[in-house]
């Protein structure tokens, strides 16, 4: 009797379902504990060392819990304590221990007089909120920045979109306290957006394998060290990422107008959301012109409206902060100089900055051509395009950080979960039958 060719892969999938989830949890938490311990000992940044000292305990406890669950599952002891719900509970507790607790400790210590308990972007956002409250714009002009002491000129720049200054308003209004720290409000916004995204996807999952995929996606947007460390010490990227993920979930649910407003809010915070908006607009266009228009009203309109007050108050200051400084043409250079290919090219080759910029533009054009010829026809496809597109951008940008890799990691991790939820609507035009066949 000839063997069934599907027996091998089916057996592997069965084994993966039995132990792969918990085995992956154990690997994630164990390696994260090691990363946190190394960070606590070797990092040159005081907020990072403080994070590592607390987070390594939380990761170690989560790894121990995953190990106990793995042993219990193999012995068939109380299956409900080793299923997706139990794993999700461990994930939630781990996130509180490795991200929220270190963040709150640093906020309290900073309010008590420890200035080394926050990264520079926290100070920059809070200063922007103060200027927004009193001057109507969060930005300082080039002349004003030039008049600052050289050591303070970097903190005079706010290289974000105007909406980011909203997270600095609590401290501007209520003064110094642990709860007015911008990171607290970054965390609140991130929690709300991620909870909404996971709730939307959980309600639309006919496939029984969707729950583990959703859990893994949640883990890689919360307890992954690059995300937990960023939220605890700086935090400004997490709400941008969370609202982009929420927009993808809304697209999967067929709520394209709400998705446009959501990613538009992210775009009003930081430029990193703008490429996501363009990818989702290409996706929305496959649903018809009316759908694309509903999406564009919020996705493109909201970030542009957010720029208007700053443009009216001081257009030169707006250009100086959001255009010239990120391009390396400000009075000081950006500290974002992780040794990724773009930075190495810009720093070591003759005319390296121009070469890196040309490579970045070429990558952008290649993605634009791909969107024009083969637009994403599902939210999962859009997440994949966003993930690889932003990965290329992070690698080729002359000024970048390892921490920015949280964007492509999260988008690529969410693609499988988006692919397993119930499809909504049908793409219009050529290729619609092929695109909707997997969902059927």
């Amino acid at each position: 009797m000839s063997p069934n060719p599907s027996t091998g892969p089916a057996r592997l999938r069965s084994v993966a379902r039995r132990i792969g989830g918990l085995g992956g949890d154990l690997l994630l938490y164990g390696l994260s504990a090691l990363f946190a311990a190394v960070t606590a000992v070797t990092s040159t940044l005081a907020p990072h060392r403080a994070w590592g000292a607390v987070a390594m305990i939380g990761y170690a406890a989560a790894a121990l819990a995953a190990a106990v669950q793995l042993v219990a599952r193999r012995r068939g002891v109380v299956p409900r304590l080793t299923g997706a719900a139990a794993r999700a509970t461990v994930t939630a507790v781990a996130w509180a221990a490795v991200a929220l607790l270190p963040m709150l400790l640093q906020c309290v210590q900073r309010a008590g007089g420890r200035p080394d308990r926050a990264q520079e972007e926290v100070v920059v956002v809070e200063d922007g909120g103060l200027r927004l409250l009193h001057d109507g714009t969060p930005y300082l002009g080039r002349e004003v920045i030039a008049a600052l002491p050289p050591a303070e000129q970097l903190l005079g720049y706010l290289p974000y979109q105007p909406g980011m200054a909203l997270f600095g308003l609590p401290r501007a209004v209520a003064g110094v306290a642990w709860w007015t720290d911008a990171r607290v409000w970054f965390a609140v916004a991130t929690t709300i957006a991620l909870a909404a995204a996971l709730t939307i996807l959980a309600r639309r999952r006919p496939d029984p394998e969707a729950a583990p995929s959703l859990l893994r996606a949640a883990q890689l947007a919360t307890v992954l060290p690059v995300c937990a460390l960023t939220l605890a010490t700086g935090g400004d990227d997490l709400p941008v990422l969370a609202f982009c993920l929420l927009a993808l979930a809304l697209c999967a649910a067929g709520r394209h107008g709400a998705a446009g407003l959501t990613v538009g809010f992210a775009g009003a915070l930081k430029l990193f959301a703008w490429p996501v908006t363009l990818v989702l607009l290409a996706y929305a266009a496959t649903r018809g012109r009316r759908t694309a228009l509903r999406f564009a009203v919020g996705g493109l309109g909201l970030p542009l409206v957010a720029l208007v007050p700053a443009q009216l108050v001081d257009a030169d200051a707006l250009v100086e902060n959001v255009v010239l400084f990120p391009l390396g043409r400000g009075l000081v250079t950006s500290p974002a100089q992780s040794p990724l290919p773009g930075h190495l090219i810009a720093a070591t080759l003759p005319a390296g900055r121009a070469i890196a910029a040309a490579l970045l533009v070429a990558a952008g054009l290649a993605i634009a051509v791909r969107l024009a010829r083969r637009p994403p026809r599902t939210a999962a496809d859009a997440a994949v395009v966003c993930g690889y597109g932003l990965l290329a951008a992070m690698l080729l940008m002359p000024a970048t950080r390892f921490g920015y890799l949280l964007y492509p990691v999260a988008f690529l991790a969410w693609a499988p979960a988006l692919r397993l939820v119930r499809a909504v609507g049908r793409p219009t035009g050529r290729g619609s039958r092929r695109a909707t066949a997997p969902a059927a």
Side-chain angles (χ1 to χ4, degrees):
M1 180 177 179
S2 61
N4 186 348
S6 64
T7 300
R11 186 172 297 172
L12 289 176
R13 287 194 297 270
S14 177
V15 172
R17 282 195 296 269
R18 288 199 304 269
I19 66 172
L22 286 172
D25 291 354
L26 179 59
L27 184 65
L28 171 63
Y29 297 136
L31 292 179
S32 298
L34 178 62
F35 176 87
V38 172
T39 300
V41 175
T42 65
S43 178
T44 59
L45 300 176
H48 288 202
R49 292 196 303 272
W51 170 82
V54 178
M56 66 178 180
I57 300 174
Y59 282 126
L64 178 61
V68 171
Q69 287 180 309
L70 186 58
V71 172
R73 169 165 288 188
R74 287 180 173 179
R75 294 183 176 181
V77 178
V78 195
R80 66 181 179 182
L81 296 181
T82 62
R87 292 174 56 204
T89 301
V90 173
T91 298
V93 175
W95 188 50
V98 304
L100 300 182
L101 177 60
M103 179 203 69
L104 291 175
L105 290 175
Q106 293 198 27
C107 291
V108 171
Q109 292 170 356
R110 180 176 175 233
R114 291 287 302 271
D116 62 343
R117 286 297 181 262
Q119 291 184 186
E120 293 174 340
E121 51 262 40
V122 178
V123 179
V124 166
V125 170
E126 291 171 352
D127 289 346
L130 186 64
R131 291 191 292 268
L132 178 63
L133 181 65
H134 294 291
D135 303 330
T137 177
Y139 304 116
L140 292 176
R142 190 179 187 92
E143 297 79 7
V144 178
I145 296 175
L148 295 173
E152 299 179 11
Q153 289 181 354
L154 178 61
L155 297 180
Y157 281 97
L158 180 71
Y160 311 126
Q161 299 302 289
M164 188 65 76
L166 296 175
F167 293 98
L169 286 179
R171 179 150 295 198
V173 173
V176 176
W178 70 265
W179 61 271
T180 63
D181 194 294
R183 287 170 291 182
V184 172
W185 301 99
F186 291 149
V188 170
T190 299
T191 302
I192 292 173
L194 286 178
L198 291 170
T199 300
I200 291 170
L201 295 181
R203 290 176 177 175
R204 306 195 62 84
R205 53 177 180 88
D207 194 318
E209 293 186 3
S213 297
L214 283 174
L215 177 58
R216 187 68 75 210
Q219 289 173 333
L220 296 182
T222 54
V223 297
L224 190 71
V226 69
C227 297
L229 171 63
T230 300
L231 185 64
T233 61
D236 59 284
D237 285 298
L238 267 298
V240 179
L241 173 64
F243 278 98
C244 288
L245 295 176
L246 176 56
L248 285 166
L250 289 167
C251 284
R255 298 166 59 183
H256 300 97
L261 289 172
T262 301
V263 78
F265 177 74
L269 301 178
K270 206 165 187 178
L271 277 174
F272 282 159
W274 288 28
V276 179
T277 300
L278 297 180
V279 173
L280 291 182
L281 179 60
Y283 156 79
T286 66
R287 262 59 186 168
R289 292 183 179 179
R290 185 173 298 179
T291 300
L293 179 60
R294 287 204 311 270
F295 177 87
V297 168
L300 300 179
L302 193 55
L304 294 177
V305 169
L307 292 171
V308 171
Q311 171 73 20
L312 294 176
V313 173
D314 193 337
D316 292 338
L318 173 66
V319 173
E320 177 71 21
N321 283 263
V322 304
V323 179
L324 297 181
F325 179 77
L327 291 177
R329 298 186 179 276
L331 295 174
V332 292
T333 58
S334 171
Q337 297 180 357
S338 295
L340 294 172
H343 174 69
L344 295 177
I345 292 172
T348 60
L349 295 181
R353 185 170 289 274
I355 295 174
L359 291 174
L360 185 60
V361 171
L365 291 176
I367 295 171
V369 171
R370 195 271 188 197
L371 289 176
R373 296 185 61 182
R374 295 179 57 194
R377 296 183 177 275
T378 66
D381 293 340
V384 171
V385 175
C386 291
Y388 284 118
L390 286 175
L391 177 61
M394 304 308 171
L395 294 177
L396 295 175
M397 286 170 56
T400 187
R401 288 176 173 156
F402 282 116
Y404 293 156
L405 294 176
L406 64 90
Y407 288 96
V409 167
F411 285 127
L412 294 175
W414 278 61
L418 291 165
R419 192 168 285 117
L420 289 172
V421 301
R422 184 183 295 109
V424 176
R426 292 175 178 267
T428 61
R430 187 175 61 184
S432 61
R433 179 173 298 178
R434 179 174 57 84
T436 56

